[in-house]
Amino acid sequence: MKQTAHIAILPGAAISHLIPFVELARRLVLHHDLHVTFLIPSSNDHPPSDAAKSLLESLPKPNTRTIFLPPVSFDDLPTATASTAKIALTVSRSLPSIHHVLKLMLDSNTTTPPLVAFFADSFAIDALDVAKGLGISSYVFFSVNAISLSMFFHLPKIDEIAASYDFLKDLPDPVQLPGCPPFHGGDLFSGVQDRRGVIYKKFLQFSKRLVSGEGISGIVVNSFVDIESEAIKALQEEKTGKLTIYPVGPIVQTGGQHDEEWECLTWLDKQPRGSVLYVSFGSGGTLSYDQMTELAFGLETSGQRFICVVRKPNTQPPNATCLSPLEPLGFLPNGFLERTKGRGLVVPDWAPQVRVLGHGSTGGFLSHCGWSSTLESFVNGVPLIAWPLFAEQKMNAVLLVESLEVALRPKADEDGLIQREEIAKVVKALMDDSNEEGRMVRDRMKDLKDSAVKALGEDGSSTRTLFELASTLKTMVAN
């Protein structure tokens, strides 16, 4: 049997972190003949979802396999524990299982391809010590972009600047990261906003680990040179300790959505080319009841065609329970569905986003600016309306609007609510062919699509970088 390099992959506990890891593995297997084993952590209250299992099953065989780690328990935690904290704790409480599995994989090298490296999600950095103790080379896979990576590399310095503030949003001056646009403190990663919190301390620990480079051979970044050339160059020039930075993006989902028929796709087939605005806030994004109402009226007033993915709001009006048989559509304004019938389509909870963005009738994307969604818009050349909610999304919005100029961003009022008139104005600006601002954004996104295709081409920057990474892993077999 031909011997190949074997890597173990530990994604975070959220599917948004699993998807890019699966696609990275797919490329390493299909194009570089590597062998990949996924270690999947979970908890009793959040077992692996059917979507996650389907995604893992889509990986090419026989060079891939999946090991589901024993679920951990959170029975000892307060019921109000944040989901971000639980994601990190899922990994830290799985460390004994991770150690056991990795040791078995090392001991079985006589019958399987030799294990040469361990790839950990940025939320799974605690596991690096396990790999280090077993003598396994480790890499961090950063599923978002270079500007977010730069923020984490410089968080210890930011912490010093913010020493007299409890919240980064209160910083009086913009934060200037090398090679990045200036960020207001409130635009930085939501998990680091409260300097007093447990999550902040966890991220600061992660940042210091990155800066030291201890137990890390390299960092794989889901971005590409053409969109973040200055940020990537700055990271590489700073040497980032002894680490190598591997920008290999755009890595977007390619499997798992093509085996079903969807009403929204049939509806799109009947619409004019480039005429539909797709509205979605990602796998976990929700709006308040008031904001959902303003969004609905804004879409209606705009007069544009749309597909809108709707979830139950994160706040409810006093009488919302009477609408429960129609959830989540029951939270929309009375008569909205009837008034927009034919021009708009509302989809409850989830839509096959990859296929929607790739459809010829889709001409715009009102997005929460999650990085996976952002890359999907790049690959398909779909211009954006930036509506960030949490995590690194506000940083992404700054990149999209101010640096790349491929997105428009509606303005919120002093209470943080984006009013219907503002929404209608921005939607019309993006989708109306006669609007000069929207036309410029659409043209720049077309150029960006070409750049994404080029990066992944035979001699593209990301293709060369992934080849370099795979070659490095293969040389470890002989060593």
Side-chain angles (χ1 to χ4, degrees):
M1 182 180 72
K2 181 181 178 182
Q3 193 175 60
T4 64
H6 183 179
I7 64 172
I9 285 178
L10 180 69
I15 193 168
S16 59
H17 286 242
L18 175 63
I19 289 171
F21 243 139
V22 165
E23 297 304 329
L24 174 65
R26 195 186 308 277
R27 292 188 192 181
L28 289 172
V29 169
L30 293 177
H31 302 300
H32 301 283
D33 197 31
L34 265 65
H35 190 103
V36 176
T37 296
F38 272 87
L39 312 182
I40 304 298
S42 66
S43 62
N44 285 329
D45 54 349
H46 281 93
S49 66
D50 290 341
K53 292 177 181 177
S54 175
L55 195 61
L56 290 162
E57 276 297 313
S58 73
L59 283 165
K61 303 294 188 292
N63 278 24
T64 61
R65 65 170 175 161
T66 300
I67 298 174
F68 292 97
L69 301 175
V72 300
S73 173
F74 293 140
D75 292 344
D76 59 315
L77 298 180
T79 54
T81 302
S83 58
T84 308
K86 286 186 175 182
I87 290 173
L89 284 170
T90 299
V91 172
S92 60
R93 294 188 175 190
S94 298
L95 292 181
S97 299
I98 294 167
H99 181 276
H100 175 72
V101 171
L102 288 179
K103 191 171 187 307
L104 284 178
M105 292 170 69
L106 285 173
D107 293 342
S108 66
N109 277 348
T110 56
T111 56
T112 63
L115 181 67
V116 298
F118 175 67
F119 281 59
D121 182 81
S122 53
F123 271 95
I125 197 165
D126 287 346
L128 296 179
D129 289 328
V130 174
K132 181 182 177 184
L134 292 170
I136 306 171
S137 295
S138 294
Y139 293 79
V140 174
F141 178 53
F142 209 72
S143 58
V144 290
N145 49 26
I147 59 172
S148 296
L149 179 59
S150 182
M151 188 214 72
F152 279 108
F153 267 112
H154 294 91
L155 187 58
K157 294 180 182 178
I158 297 171
D159 186 62
E160 293 176 6
I161 296 170
S164 59
Y165 298 91
D166 288 336
F167 299 95
L168 295 189
K169 68 179 178 60
D170 295 329
L171 287 173
D173 300 315
V175 175
Q176 184 63 66
L177 303 171
C180 302
F183 295 100
H184 294 291
D187 283 336
L188 297 177
F189 198 93
S190 61
V192 303
Q193 286 297 317
D194 184 355
R195 295 183 62 251
R196 306 164 302 173
V198 174
I199 299 300
Y200 181 86
K201 292 178 175 61
K202 190 75 175 176
F203 279 130
L204 189 59
Q205 176 188 359
F206 169 59
S207 299
K208 291 177 178 178
R209 181 68 174 267
L210 286 181
V211 172
S212 72
E214 181 184 355
I216 307 174
S217 298
I219 300 177
V220 182
V221 185
N222 191 9
S223 189
F224 56 106
V225 173
D226 279 0
I227 59 167
E228 295 192 283
S229 58
E230 294 302 317
I232 291 170
K233 180 181 178 183
L235 285 168
Q236 292 171 333
E237 287 181 348
E238 287 179 326
K239 302 299 184 184
T240 55
K242 298 179 180 179
L243 304 178
T244 301
I245 307 296
Y246 297 94
V248 299
I251 297 173
V252 298
Q253 186 171 0
T254 59
Q257 294 188 1
H258 296 276
D259 53 352
E260 296 181 49
E261 293 296 324
W262 296 89
E263 178 192 358
C264 60
L265 298 177
T266 302
W267 184 85
L268 275 172
D269 289 340
K270 302 173 184 176
Q271 309 308 315
R273 184 170 184 82
S275 67
V276 177
L277 176 73
Y278 173 58
V279 181
S280 175
F281 294 92
S283 57
T286 57
L287 303 177
S288 69
Y289 175 79
D290 288 342
Q291 187 60 85
M292 180 186 289
T293 299
E294 293 302 310
L295 174 61
F297 279 120
L299 292 173
E300 180 180 346
T301 306
S302 76
Q304 304 297 312
R305 292 177 173 86
F306 65 86
I307 289 179
C308 184
V309 179
V310 174
R311 295 192 182 92
K312 290 170 57 178
N314 52 40
T315 58
Q316 299 179 189
N319 64 344
T321 53
C322 71
L323 302 171
S324 57
L326 299 175
E327 291 178 353
L329 303 189
F331 290 91
L332 294 166
N334 288 335
F336 171 77
L337 295 176
E338 291 77 13
R339 292 192 302 272
T340 59
K341 187 175 182 180
R343 178 169 60 83
L345 181 68
V346 178
V347 181
D349 295 321
W350 194 85
Q353 181 165 293
V354 172
R355 296 180 68 182
V356 171
L357 290 175
H359 197 286
S361 295
T362 302
F365 183 13
L366 191 158
S367 170
H368 65 308
C369 301
W371 191 239
S372 291
S373 293
T374 298
L375 290 178
E376 288 165 5
S377 71
F378 291 170
V379 168
N380 291 288
V382 180
L384 292 152
I385 293 173
W387 191 314
L389 299 178
F390 53 81
E392 87 293 348
Q393 294 164 14
K394 290 184 179 180
M395 296 184 70
N396 296 344
V398 172
L399 175 70
L400 293 167
V401 175
E402 298 181 16
S403 293
L404 299 176
E405 298 180 309
V406 293
L408 304 178
R409 187 172 183 177
K411 297 176 182 177
D413 63 19
E414 58 184 15
D415 296 321
L417 193 69
I418 303 176
Q419 298 285 349
R420 62 191 71 178
E421 296 83 5
E422 176 71 6
I423 295 167
K425 182 182 75 172
V426 173
V427 169
K428 285 191 285 189
L430 185 72
M431 301 300 294
D432 190 339
D433 288 338
S434 64
N435 186 281
E436 183 178 355
E437 184 182 20
R439 186 167 59 251
M440 292 174 65
V441 166
R442 293 192 296 273
D443 289 343
R444 280 190 288 267
M445 184 58 93
K446 290 176 184 176
D447 292 339
L448 197 51
K449 177 183 179 180
D450 293 340
S451 296
V453 171
K454 181 180 177 182
L456 298 176
E458 185 176 348
D459 194 41
S461 59
S462 295
T463 300
R464 295 194 307 270
T465 300
L466 190 62
F467 177 82
E468 176 188 346
L469 173 61
S471 298
T472 298
L473 297 171
K474 289 178 180 179
T475 61
M476 296 178 185
V477 176
N479 296 332

